[in-house]
Amino acid sequence: MSAPKHPSASPAGSSRPGPMKALPKIIFMSRWLQVPLYLGLIVAQGVYVVLFLKEVLHLVTYAMTLDETNIMLVVLGLIDVVMISNLLIMVIVGGYETFVSRLGVEGHPDEPEWLDHVNAGVLKVKLSMALISISSIHLLKTFINPDQHTFHTVLWQVIIHVAFLVSALIMAYVDKLTTHTHTHTRHFHDESFVPPQKAIE
């Protein structure tokens, strides 16, 4: 017959946390104040859908009269709207999942591939990449039709695009360092952990 287990040998996760105090509870519940912000972004997403359909209708209506350059500009405008829409989706879904509450879509067939490993660092890097894509579209539109822009405008667009690139590289590097440090620390603790002896039967 085995000896009864000591209470300290029970798993750490089995103990339920006690009730939160008033001030920490208020601070913790304040995250729900962000919900109207995400709902507002959903409304903005709907506005971009209307804008996209309007541009598609314009393209179809005047397809026979527009030249290749103008058609390319309209298509780039459509791609720009899609990029911004993707950015909104990442902010809405990833931000809510990271800062407000779980969405509970684990195992759902339509769950985004990037959602299962999203955190604040990954979200910032993905947002930076989305901003770079949007900036690239705007820069390409400027280069296709440079006569409508001054040299000063083109120069600042290039500078802003380079700034986005540098910022994304820095954030990706910092996120890599943070992840590596966290993994190394956890591995060190796992190796230094000595399991308790089994109860003598």
Side-chain angles (χ1 to χ4, degrees), residues 5-103:
K5 294 183 179 180
H6 194 271
S8 61
S10 60
S14 61
S15 60
R16 294 183 178 180
M20 297 178 64
K21 295 182 180 180
L23 182 58
K25 186 175 182 179
I26 293 174
I27 294 175
F28 182 65
M29 294 299 293
S30 66
R31 71 191 192 279
W32 291 102
L33 293 175
Q34 294 188 8
V35 172
L37 306 181
Y38 293 113
L39 294 178
L41 289 180
I42 294 175
V43 175
Q45 178 93 335
V47 173
Y48 268 100
V49 171
V50 174
L51 177 62
F52 183 86
L53 295 177
K54 179 181 176 182
E55 291 295 325
V56 170
L57 180 61
H58 177 267
L59 177 62
V60 173
T61 304
Y62 298 98
M64 303 303 296
T65 58
L66 295 174
D67 56 10
E68 183 180 359
T69 301
N70 288 325
I71 291 177
M72 188 178 299
L73 289 174
V74 174
V75 172
L76 288 176
L78 295 176
I79 296 174
D80 186 27
V81 173
V82 173
M83 291 289 185
I84 296 177
S85 180
N86 293 337
L87 177 63
L88 285 172
I89 287 295
M90 281 192 290
V91 173
I92 295 169
V93 178
Y96 186 91
E97 176 84 10
T98 304
F99 301 108
V100 180
S101 180
R102 295 287 185 182
L103 290 172

Side-chain angles (χ1 to χ4, degrees), residues 137-158:
I137 295 297
H138 281 268
L139 202 58
L140 184 58
K141 290 170 66 176
T142 301
F143 288 158
I144 290 176
N145 199 7
D147 296 335
Q148 295 186 358
H149 304 278
T150 63
F151 174 78
H152 186 266
T153 302
V154 176
L155 178 62
W156 273 108
Q157 285 188 358
V158 173

Side-chain angles (χ1 to χ4, degrees), residues 96-166:
Y96 186 91
E97 176 84 10
T98 304
F99 301 108
V100 180
S101 180
R102 295 287 185 182
L103 290 172
V105 295
E106 292 81 3
H108 194 278
D110 294 331
E111 179 187 3
E113 182 272 335
W114 51 269
L115 189 60
D116 57 348
H117 56 269
V118 69
N119 53 45
V122 174
L123 187 61
K124 285 189 292 185
V125 174
K126 288 185 176 295
L127 293 180
S128 300
M129 298 303 296
L131 289 175
I132 291 173
S133 301
I134 295 171
S135 176
S136 300
I137 295 297
H138 281 268
L139 202 58
L140 184 58
K141 290 170 66 176
T142 301
F143 288 158
I144 290 176
N145 199 7
D147 296 335
Q148 295 186 358
H149 304 278
T150 63
F151 174 78
H152 186 266
T153 302
V154 176
L155 178 62
W156 273 108
Q157 285 188 358
V158 173
I159 292 175
I160 292 173
H161 184 70
V162 173
F164 281 152
L165 287 173
V166 174

